[in-house]
């Protein structure tokens, strides 16, 4: 009996103690001591900018350079990638990074905080980053989650590509207005590109506007996609691109370039990939090298270094290891150009040509050539020959830039011979991470071969 | 698997008296539950004339972990190298200084009653309450019951007969919980490096002299509760011929609800993953064991022991219906591990060639239409150029789970000498031979010894020689499509730049059957007679020579079907330049005093 009473008392005590939660909660128990509890806007901005450098100068840029045969995939997994052999897993990280890991989710937070603090300069700069991210991404994947992304909806729908572009243009207009208002402190020294100065950022915004208008010029020409071009540009794409580019980046000193230093894990990503992590997998592409040699272009030695034989050589997709980046271009602290004065001039050259003004086009072409150190200025070019010259110059100037692929898709210049099959690859597959959890993403078999702004495949050369 | 309580031998009266004394002693101690402490009490109760042993235990624990990785001046380079290897950093890379720590508090209470009836029926019932700080606020503490019964039915029949000397039936049912990884309820910011596509290139967030912080990949899960496994186990232990033959059989069925998985979240919401009580899993199987002593005499005995087991696991559902699979850690880039709804936990997923009958449209081509109506299902589609094409869709390509496993052990005792041999058998279970896939690309695998000669002509690879036909001598099986039956040159165009290597996306052809029979161990041991041992002042000396992993019989073409690149994780069956099991010879001397 005594034992039974004691049993009962023990159980009662146990019951009472079970209700006490103090032991299971506490500072290091309910909160993770390893993560920062809060971040300043500057800290968020710095991480986001680094993430955007990865997005625009990393894996996507390497793939675009292989697709346009500026570089060649010559080892391990890259032999297939340069021949457009890609599964839905291969670039899934790049698509996921649009939204997470320093992408749209954090960009929106910066914009939110800046708007609340009425720091228009900060908000303007963040808006430029968002527009750049979404415009580039829409050019690669086509339809994407945007209006419902990073919000309450757990399975955002795909916005049509034209609507994303249509949303990006007013976003850039808002950014320009914010930057030109003169209000706000901005990121200051945390801005690694322009040190927080508003004027160059506004110029970048204009160049991006022009670039994104230009993406719809092919669709505007005619056919089913014409209506979508109308949505994307809200008017004549060529005229709008021309007007925007005239207020774009005004000098090479204002080029929009990544910031890198020769310090571990802060170096240029091409350097990290080619010389540290994955040696022997990517090297100079034969098409670009042969083009530079044929034109006697000084950028041959600026871009590439010779092999042991003393020759600068380019490889075909899946070929043998060829020339690597030059010591200047392949330097750990080389600042990767993302949007440049030369590009802006070449956009103006193309839009002038499309408006029928060959003379003006030539002026802009020569301005771009001068900015790249090419002499003497060209004369006497008109018609198809002039467009070809403009696009070849742009192909060379936009070395290692995703934009070279967009230029090819729009103009079919330079006349590349597809590495495999009858067409150069037209778009990237959706990330399997997105497809696995979001029923709005179609299966691989149901995804189109090209994006809406690129209706016509290029003819065989 | 839960421990079985039925079948424990009855507690003698003397031990019960001692238990009663212990109960008094423990009861006097002050109970302070915020200490790190264990308290145990045993009670002797009576249920009528029937004695019942009761045990109550409380355990309150703190677990702390801290790990610091820092660059310290004056550490010799060889030591830095070992440290960097230990934490997985590349030898010539850079590791930012890290300091990681966590703390977990747990609180458990346990009560058990044990009853023995008529010397043959053993009943146990227990109840446990567990609380962990790693669960969500609404779900910190939970109850787990269990019960078991064992009946030695040969006692009821009046003791064993010559034939059936011992027989026991047992049944057990119980629930157990599992705690989640630490800090799953908390989300937030991170300063982790920003990765560039998984190739190794990355930026640290402190690059360029500023500190960067961004939203982490894991969304917080404030409602995390324990996963709960309910298991029913039935079994029997039988001995025949005066314990010359012993047979044990167990059947179990375990159902896990609210299994904690790092579930994938739609990336366009801004997060990549979230710990969730996401899945319902089922494990069921059979375990058999057999022991025989065909010869048992003074100075000579022979014992045979065999076991056989089969387990089937299945994902019954994920919490939401949208998720088709959850990726598991430990896989390789082109052969990732996953758990599929309706399938097993830890299958391999990757890509295959385009095949007929799968409703595929690849590069604008309707594969089924191009295959034609007479094509066999899953026939390999051959394009007009005579080669297969990639199917970019991710699918299950292999299942590393074995159909059954078994072992057989023979021991022969001859006086002081013992000879033992152990065989391990695994039947079924796929492996991904990623090593072969890579060696094809390098051209160093024997299969690529015969090759076409290839040259680059106008930018394209032109090959001639070594003509093969897909479906006949290369990837044998059914083929269909416009190029079926065409002989094509096979060389670098297939093995390096084409789809013949696992680097270029197709991994289904590198899935192989990993069944094996292994001579796991052969050992010879000798007990030196006592008189020799005593001369050296010892009570006994034993000598043993053993060999382990002596021979493997398998159809697997890699080095060893028992490898796994990820080591001990949820996933197995991935072979990528992994080392085989080592063959060992062991000589040991035991000195006993």
């Amino acid at each position: 009996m005594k034992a039974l009473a004691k049993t009962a008392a023990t159980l009662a005590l146990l019951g009472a103690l079970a209700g006490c939660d103090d032991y299971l909660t506490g500072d290091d128990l309910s909160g993770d001591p390893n993560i920062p509890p809060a971040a300043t806007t500057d800290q968020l901005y710095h991480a986001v900018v680094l993430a955007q450098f990865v997005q625009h100068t990393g894996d996507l840029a390497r793939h675009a350079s292989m697709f346009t045969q500026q570089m060649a995939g010559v080892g391990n997994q890259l032999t297939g990638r340069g021949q457009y052999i890609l599964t839905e897993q291969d670039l899934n990280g790049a698509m996921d990074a649009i939204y997470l890991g320093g992408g749209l989710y954090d960009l929106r937070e910066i914009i939110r905080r800046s708007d609340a603090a009425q720091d228009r300069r900060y908000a303007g700069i963040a808006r430029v980053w968002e527009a750049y991210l979404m415009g580039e991404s829409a050019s690669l994947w086509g339809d994407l989650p945007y209006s419902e992304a990073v919000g309450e909806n757990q399975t955002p729908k795909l916005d049509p590509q034209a609507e994303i572009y249509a949303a990006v243009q007013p976003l850039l207009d808002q950014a320009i207005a914010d930057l030109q208002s003169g209000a706000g402190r901005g990121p200051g020294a945390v801005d690694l590109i322009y040190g927080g100065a508003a004027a160059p950022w506004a110029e970048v915004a204009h160049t991006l506007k022009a670039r994104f208008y230009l993406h719809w010029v092919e669709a505007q020409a005619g056919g089913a996609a014409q209506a979508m071009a109308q949505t994307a540009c809200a008017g004549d794409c060529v005229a709008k691109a021309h007007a925007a580019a005239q207020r774009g980046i005004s000098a090479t000193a204002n080029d929009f370039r990544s910031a890198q230093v020769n310090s571990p894990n802060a170096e240029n990503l091409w350097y990290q990939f080619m010389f540290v992590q994955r040696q022997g997998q990517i090297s100079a592409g034969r098409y670009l090298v042969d083009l530079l040699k044929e034109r006697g272009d000084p950028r041959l030695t600026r871009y590439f270094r010779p092999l042991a034989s003393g020759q600068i050589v380019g490889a075909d997709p899946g070929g043998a290891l060829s020339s690597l980046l030059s010591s200047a271009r392949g330097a750990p602290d080389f600042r990767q150009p993302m949007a440049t004065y030369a590009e802006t001039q070449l956009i103006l050259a193309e839009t002038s040509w499309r408006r029928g003004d060959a003379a003006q086009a030539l002026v802009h072409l020569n301005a771009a050539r001068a900015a790249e150190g090419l002499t003497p200025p060209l004369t006497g070019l008109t018609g198809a020959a002039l467009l070809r010259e403009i696009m070849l110059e742009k192909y060379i100037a936009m070395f290692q830039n995703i934009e070279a692929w967009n230029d090819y898709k729009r103009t079919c210049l330079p006349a590349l011979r597809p590495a495999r099959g009858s067409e150069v690859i037209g778009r990237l597959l959706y990330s399997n991470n997105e497809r696995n959890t979001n029923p709005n993403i179609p299966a691989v078999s149901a995804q189109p071969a090209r994006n809406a702004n690129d209706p016509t495949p290029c003819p065989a050369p | 698997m839960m421990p079985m309580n039925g079948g424990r031998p009855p507690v003698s009266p003397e031990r019960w008296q001692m238990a009663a004394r212990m109960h008094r002693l423990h009861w006097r101690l002050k109970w302070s539950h915020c200490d790190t402490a264990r308290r145990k009490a045993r009670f002797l109760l009576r249920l009528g004339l029937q004695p019942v042993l009761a045990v109550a235990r409380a355990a309150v624990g703190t677990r702390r972990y801290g790990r610091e990785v820092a660059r310290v001046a004056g550490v010799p380079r060889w030591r830095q190298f070992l440290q960097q290897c230990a934490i997985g950093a590349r030898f010539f890379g850079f590791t930012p200084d890290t300091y990681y720590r966590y703390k977990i508090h747990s609180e458990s209470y346990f009560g058990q009653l044990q009853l023995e009836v008529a010397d043959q029926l053993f009943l146990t019932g227990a109840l446990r309450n567990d609380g962990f700080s790693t669960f969500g606020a609404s779900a910190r503490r939970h109850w787990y019951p269990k019960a078991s019964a064992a009946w030695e039915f040969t006692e009821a029949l009046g003791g064993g007969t010559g034939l059936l000397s011992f027989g026991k039936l047992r049944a057990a049912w119980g629930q157990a919980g599992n705690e989640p990884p630490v800090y799953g309820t908390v989300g937030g910011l991170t300063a982790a490096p920003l990765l560039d596509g998984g190739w190794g290139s990355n930026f640290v967030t402190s690059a360029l002299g500023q500190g960067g912080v961004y939203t982490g990949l894991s969304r917080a899960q404030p409602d995390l509760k324990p996963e709960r496994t309910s298991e029913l186990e039935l079994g029997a232990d039988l001995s025949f011929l005066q314990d010359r033959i012993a047979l044990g059989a167990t059947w179990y069925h375990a159902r896990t609800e609210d299994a904690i998985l790092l579930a994938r979240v739609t990336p366009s919401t801004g997060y990549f993953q979230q710990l969730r009580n996401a899945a319902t899993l089922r494990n069921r199987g059979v375990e058999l064991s057999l022991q025989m002593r065909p010869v048992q005499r003074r100075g000579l005995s022979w014992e045979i022991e065999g076991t056989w087991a089969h387990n089937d696991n299945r994902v019954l559902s994920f919490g939401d219906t949208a998720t088709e699979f959850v990726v598991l850690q430990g896989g390789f880039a082109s052969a990732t591990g996953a758990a599929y709804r309706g399938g097993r936990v830890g299958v391999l997923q990757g890509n295959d060639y385009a095949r007929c009958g799968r409703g595929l449209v690849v590069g604008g081509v309707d594969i089924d239409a191009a295959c034609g109506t007479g094509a066999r299902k899953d026939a390999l589609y051959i394009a007009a150029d005579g080669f297969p094409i990639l199917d970019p869709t991710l699918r299950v390509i292999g299942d590393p789970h074995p159909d059954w496993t078994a072992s057989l052990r023979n021991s022969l005792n001859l006086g002081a000498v013992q000879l033992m041999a152990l065989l391990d058998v695994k039947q079924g279970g796929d492996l991904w031979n990623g090593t072969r896939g890579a060696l094809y690309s390098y051209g160093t695998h024997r299969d690529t010894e015969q090759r076409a000669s290839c040259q680059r002509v106008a930018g394209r690879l032109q090959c001639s020689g070594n003509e093969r036909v897909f479906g006949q001598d290369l990837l044998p099986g059914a083929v269909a499509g416009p190029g079926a039956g065409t002989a094509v040159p096979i060389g670098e165009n297939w093995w390096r730049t084409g789809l013949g290597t696992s680097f270029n996306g197709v991994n289904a052809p590198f899935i192989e059957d990993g069944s094996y029979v292994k001579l796991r161990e052969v050992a010879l041991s000798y007990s030196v007679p006592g008189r020799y041992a005593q001369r050296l002042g010892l009570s006994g000396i034993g000598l043993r020579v053993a060999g382990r992993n002596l021979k493997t019989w398998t159809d697997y073409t890699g080095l060893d079907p028992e490898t796994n690149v990820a080591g001990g994780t949820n996933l197995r069956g991935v072979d990528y330049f992994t080392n085989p099991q080592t063959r060992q010879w062991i000589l040991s001397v035991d000195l006993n005093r």
Side-chain angles (χ1 to χ4, degrees), chain B residues 293-565:
Chain B
R293 278 187 277 260
V295 177
Q296 190 157 13
R297 280 188 225 142
R298 220 174 79 91
L300 175 67
S301 69
W302 176 23
E303 189 177 300
I304 305 173
E305 200 178 303
T307 63
W308 185 93
H310 162 78
N311 181 68
D312 176 47
N313 81 40
R314 207 144 295 268
V315 179
L316 295 179
S317 79
F318 292 115
D320 60 273
T321 49
T323 305
E324 191 191 330
F325 65 84
V326 168
V327 173
L328 303 173
Q329 297 184 310
F332 198 76
S334 14
T336 42
Y340 271 75
R341 186 176 61 233
R344 289 182 167 171
V345 178
V347 292
L348 297 168
Q349 59 171 210
N351 296 84
D352 195 359
Y353 300 111
R355 291 181 182 267
C356 308
R358 290 183 176 178
L360 298 174
V361 175
V362 181
V365 176
D366 181 341
I367 300 295
D368 288 350
C371 284
T373 46
R376 282 245 303 267
K377 186 160 190 327
D378 293 336
L380 185 64
Y381 170 78
I382 307 292
D385 63 358
F387 287 90
I389 63 174
L390 169 73
D391 171 16
T393 319
L394 207 53
R395 59 180 75 245
V396 177
I397 53 175
D399 184 354
H401 295 93
D403 297 333
W404 51 264
T405 58
S407 72
L408 185 64
R409 189 171 184 276
N410 269 283
S411 319
L412 193 64
N413 284 304
L414 202 64
V417 175
Q418 187 198 55
L419 180 65
M420 187 275 284
L422 177 64
L423 272 177
D424 264 348
V425 183
K426 180 182 91 144
Q427 177 61 38
D430 295 328
L431 257 85
W432 173 62
N433 196 343
T435 313
R436 178 160 68 93
L439 293 178
Y440 278 1
S441 177
Y442 302 141
T444 50
H445 195 280
R446 167 157 251 133
D447 291 353
T448 62
E449 198 176 7
Q450 300 296 323
R451 55 182 78 160
S453 73
C454 297
Q455 279 149 349
R456 292 224 159 246
V457 175
R460 291 279 179 103
L461 205 55
Q462 304 275 30
C463 299
S464 60
N466 194 34
E467 303 238 319
R468 310 269 202 93
V469 179
F470 281 100
Q472 291 176 20
D473 34 20
L474 199 52
L475 298 177
V479 291
T486 320
V488 283
I490 295 292
E492 197 186 324
N493 59 332
W494 173 248
W495 299 123
R496 191 174 89 89
T497 60
L499 298 177
T501 168
S502 58
F503 286 145
N504 288 340
V506 181
N507 277 292
F510 300 102
I511 300 289
E512 297 183 31
D513 180 46
S515 308
Y516 61 77
V517 175
K518 284 199 170 190
L519 182 57
R520 183 70 75 192
E521 185 169 340
V522 173
L524 181 67
S525 40
Y526 175 63
S527 302
V528 173
R531 55 183 187 279
Y532 298 116
Q534 277 154 16
R535 279 193 209 157
L536 296 170
L538 300 164
S539 57
I541 301 177
L543 302 169
R544 190 168 187 267
V545 170
R548 283 190 64 84
N549 297 323
L550 294 174
K551 179 120 180 82
T552 304
W553 292 273
T554 179
D555 284 337
Y556 180 62
T557 63
L559 288 177
D560 188 345
E562 209 181 359
T563 59
N564 192 28
V565 74

Side-chain angles (χ1 to χ4, degrees), chain A residues 49 52 57 120 130 174 207 243 263 300 421 426:
Chain A
V49 167
Q52 295 308 306
T57 71
R120 292 192 72 183
E130 179 180 336
Q174 173 71 44
T207 295
S263 175
L300 179 67

Side-chain angles (χ1 to χ4, degrees), chain A residues 37-73:
Chain A
T40 62
T41 312
D42 285 348
Q43 287 172 323
L44 265 179
Y45 181 76
H46 182 70
V48 162
V49 167
L50 292 174
Q52 295 308 306
F53 289 166
V54 174
Q55 188 73 355
H56 295 290
T57 71
D59 218 9
L60 287 171
R62 285 191 294 274
H63 281 78
S65 75
M66 288 192 288
F67 297 154
T68 53
Q69 299 176 22
Q70 293 175 337
M71 301 290 279

